[in-house]
Amino acid sequence: MSAEKTDAAVAQIKALGTSPDDNYRVWYEIFVYSYCDSDGDGIGDLQGVISKLDELTELGVGGIWLMPVHPSTTYHKYNVSDYYAIDPAYGTLSDMEQLLQECDRRGIRVIMDLVVNHSGSDHPWFKEAVAHLQKVASGQPMDQVVCPYVDYYNFVEADACPAGHNPVPGADGWFYESRFDSKMPDLNLGCEAVRKEIEVIMAFWLEKGADGFRLDAAKEFYSGRTDQNIEVLSWLQQTAVSLKPDCYLVAEVWDTFGQITDYYKSGITSIFNYPFGNSSGKIVKVLQGAGNESMVTTWATAQEKSDTAYSGSHPGYIDAPFVSNHDVGRAAGFVGRDENKVKLAGAMNLFMSGASFLYYGDEIGMICGGGNDPSYRAPMYWNAAGDDGTTAPPPGCTLPEEYSFAPLSEQKKDDSSIYSYYRKAIAIRNALPVISHGVTTAETELNRGCVSAVRKVWEEQQAILLMNIDSKAASVDLSAYSGWQLTVSLTVDDQPVVLDGTSLSLPAYGAAILTPVA
Ligand code: CA
């Protein structure tokens, strides 16, 4: 049961074209714990994800980013105990193989979280290293032949615990680097044996059918040392591509525009575009200032500036915009739960060039109940009854007293819902590959008032994207654009976009895409 007008609109949009089978796709981030529970124990699992793959296909996403699925002592699983296994709460290796096959069958690519800045403190490598250091502390010599794992981490002998370190238990005077948490000892990425381990881990999952990796905490590989982090990213990229030529890597470098520009010199395919995402990023700032003319026009110029700088460092880069993820909270909260702005935030992300990342639940405008990590990772809001795979909240998660918008089951039946808007926006992006693949420049003649305008060029294709970022209707003079036609539009309500002669009327928060007349 779905919304008939939306189904018809999506079918019409799909007829416009298709995107190539590459990594410029819409990727959907799934926190397995909170997504869908298949066996009633309250914890999401891989069979739950498998049961919802048709939902993802209907939404139009072409890829999944799975947050860590390996055995771990925490609910979030960013401290890995075994890189080759699946956490029993999530399922088995055979479930993971089935998930990869089911995704492959639907043309959905899967990237896995590769957490190699650190391991878990209960990983056998760390436990063996600690056991050896305990003997050293009691007067025996350190022997790296007996225990090669002492080189896997960054151990130091010191009088006092250095910053970013924790004491090695039972080994007085020894400390280990652990930038995030005592449960997360930093791996020594300069150690050849560690690099070999990482290569074997990547090969294992790629061979199983994974399509790439999201690289956690790349800025902390060598905390404060950008040049060395760039070297590690270069190595990871070259290694991944040597294992699987179209392997997709996207790195988390939570940093400024200038820093990310530098990090692209590594040749890494993608880096999350933090300057555009999160509550302080460009998308949300522009929407918060909606109607402010000088701010609206920067939406176009910022995309041009970003594309120019990043491609200057790495011509083959694929941008990786997002609004929300598991560390920052929810788009709907950032824009004051204003339904129109929640929708437009989705289109602003999806209509940027590159690979666009969605966080599960953003397509229905989910919000957080609290300002901490577990609350950013609340159960997917499938239906009002809380069945159909709804999970228990992760430990420490505060649920919203009430969600601002309806659950997925209801939004699917509503032609004017956030979900229906997302379906149409994704369909437009997928049907017109110039949107995701195009080089972006501000279209200065049209980029004025409360209308943002960019031109995208890719191979023989061109498009001009117009967006009214205001609560009032806008009119655009297209008299200098006689060779262009209105190809498709997207509005937050039922108000149409109308081209009358050379005058284009854009309703509040409406978007239009022009392409050259054939
Ligand atoms: Ca379960």
Side-chain angles (χ1 to χ4, degrees):
M1 178 83 69
S2 68
E4 283 174 16
K5 277 167 68 182
T6 304
D7 290 343
V10 167
Q12 213 172 4
I13 294 163
K14 282 184 175 172
L16 293 171
T18 50
S19 272
D21 188 21
D22 56 22
N23 289 318
Y24 289 75
R25 49 187 67 211
V26 179
W27 298 88
Y28 188 90
E29 180 189 1
I30 293 180
F31 180 41
V32 176
Y33 193 102
S34 288
Y35 192 60
C36 179
D37 175 22
S38 73
D39 58 7
D41 68 355
I43 299 177
D45 44 58
L46 297 179
Q47 285 298 332
V49 176
I50 291 169
S51 74
K52 298 294 186 184
L53 290 177
D54 289 337
E55 296 273 6
L56 296 179
T57 299
E58 188 181 346
L59 178 60
V61 307
I64 293 172
W65 154 21
L66 281 183
M67 283 168 61
V69 293
H70 308 303
S72 173
T73 58
T74 58
Y75 82 90
H76 55 69
K77 311 199 190 302
Y78 276 99
N79 48 327
V80 176
S81 317
D82 178 355
Y83 290 96
Y84 298 98
I86 300 298
D87 192 290
Y90 284 4
T92 63
L93 189 57
S94 138
D95 292 328
M96 185 64 188
E97 288 166 342
Q98 188 190 342
L99 172 61
L100 292 168
Q101 285 158 12
E102 292 286 338
C103 286
D104 187 55
R105 204 160 64 76
R106 292 169 174 81
I108 294 174
R109 292 189 185 178
V110 178
I111 57 172
M112 300 172 71
D113 230 307
L114 187 67
V115 187
V116 292
N117 171 67
H118 50 265
S119 74
S121 57
D122 64 335
H123 194 288
W125 301 335
F126 189 70
K127 289 203 287 197
E128 291 208 26
V130 166
H132 191 75
L133 285 177
Q134 287 168 346
K135 292 179 197 157
V136 172
S138 65
Q140 296 176 42
M142 166 136 43
D143 188 338
Q144 285 156 4
V145 176
V146 173
C147 184
Y149 301 111
V150 291
D151 276 344
Y152 276 38
Y153 298 89
N154 299 313
F155 292 109
V156 291
E157 202 175 7
D159 295 332
C161 186
H165 288 64
N166 272 287
V168 177
D172 276 356
W174 284 90
F175 303 90
Y176 63 98
E177 191 193 9
S178 41
R179 296 282 165 179
F180 288 99
D181 189 288
S182 63
K183 289 195 187 77
M184 299 177 172
D186 278 55
L187 284 161
N188 172 13
L189 295 170
C191 169
E192 280 308 313
V194 168
R195 291 203 180 189
K196 189 66 201 169
E197 300 272 11
I198 295 169
E199 182 177 348
V200 175
I201 292 163
M202 288 199 289
F204 178 84
W205 291 109
L206 292 172
E207 194 272 324
K208 295 261 177 231
D211 299 285
F213 303 96
R214 177 259 184 190
L215 305 172
D216 182 59
K219 202 180 131 186
E220 305 304 329
F221 289 165
Y222 288 90
S223 297
R225 286 179 277 172
T226 302
D227 288 350
Q228 279 168 286
N229 294 335
I230 289 173
E231 188 279 322
V232 178
L233 285 176
S234 288
W235 174 79
L236 283 163
Q237 176 72 25
Q238 286 163 21
T239 304
V241 169
S242 74
L243 294 167
K244 192 170 194 169
D246 62 348
C247 183
Y248 180 56
L249 294 188
V250 52
E252 180 203 20
V253 178
W254 193 334
D255 214 321
T256 60
F257 178 68
Q259 280 290 303
I260 291 174
T261 303
D262 271 353
Y263 273 90
Y264 267 121
K265 291 175 186 158
S266 65
I268 189 87
T269 304
S270 289
I271 300 172
F272 288 114
N273 201 341
Y274 263 92
F276 280 69
N278 196 1
S279 58
S280 57
K282 201 77 199 168
I283 293 175
V284 167
K285 288 294 166 199
V286 168
L287 281 169
Q288 286 173 344
N292 173 332
E293 298 189 2
S294 62
M295 205 154 168
V296 167
T297 51
T298 66
W299 175 239
T301 52
Q303 289 173 78
E304 175 177 332
K305 181 183 164 200
S306 172
D307 199 8
T308 304
Y310 295 165
S311 65
S313 290
H314 178 14
Y317 93 110
I318 300 177
D319 200 1
F322 68 98
V323 186
S324 305
N325 68 31
H326 64 283
D327 285 324
V328 304
R330 293 284 184 181
F334 301 160
V335 295
R337 306 180 192 182
D338 175 331
E339 183 168 345
N340 291 337
K341 291 183 182 175
V342 174
K343 288 173 174 172
L344 197 57
M348 289 167 81
N349 176 18
L350 289 161
F351 290 174
M352 279 183 71
S353 289
S356 182
F357 281 80
L358 308 182
Y359 184 40
Y360 77 96
D362 278 352
E363 74 276 25
I364 55 171
M366 267 174 63
I367 51 165
C368 307
N372 58 1
D373 285 347
S375 300
Y376 303 157
R377 305 162 187 174
M380 175 68 185
Y381 190 31
W382 295 108
N383 64 10
D387 50 24
D388 193 26
T390 304
T391 68
C397 169
T398 308
L399 290 176
E401 279 183 37
E402 197 176 354
Y403 279 107
S404 316
F405 308 106
L408 180 69
S409 62
E410 289 170 35
Q411 292 203 26
K412 283 179 77 168
K413 296 178 207 160
D414 177 0
D415 282 311
S416 61
S417 66
I418 297 167
Y419 173 81
S420 291
Y421 180 93
Y422 260 87
R423 270 188 76 201
K424 285 180 270 188
I426 294 171
I428 291 171
R429 179 194 157 93
N430 291 344
L432 299 173
V434 66
I435 294 175
S436 49
H437 293 68
V439 172
T440 307
T441 50
E443 184 70 3
T444 313
E445 292 74 19
L446 300 176
N447 188 45
R448 52 185 59 169
C450 286
V451 173
S452 156
V454 293
R455 184 183 292 231
K456 303 218 188 193
V457 179
W458 175 62
E459 296 185 344
E460 302 304 306
Q461 299 184 25
Q462 282 197 65
I464 292 173
L465 275 63
L466 298 153
M467 222 173 244
N468 178 9
I469 307 179
D470 196 356
S471 56
K472 297 192 291 287
S475 176
V476 180
D477 176 12
L478 292 178
S479 50
Y481 290 81
S482 58
W484 293 77
Q485 62 191 350
L486 172 62
T487 297
V488 66
S489 60
L490 180 69
T491 56
V492 295
D493 48 30
D494 283 337
Q495 298 290 318
V497 171
V498 177
L499 181 60
D500 182 7
T502 59
S503 174
L504 182 79
S505 302
L506 281 173
Y509 302 112
I513 295 173
L514 311 178
T515 57
V517 177

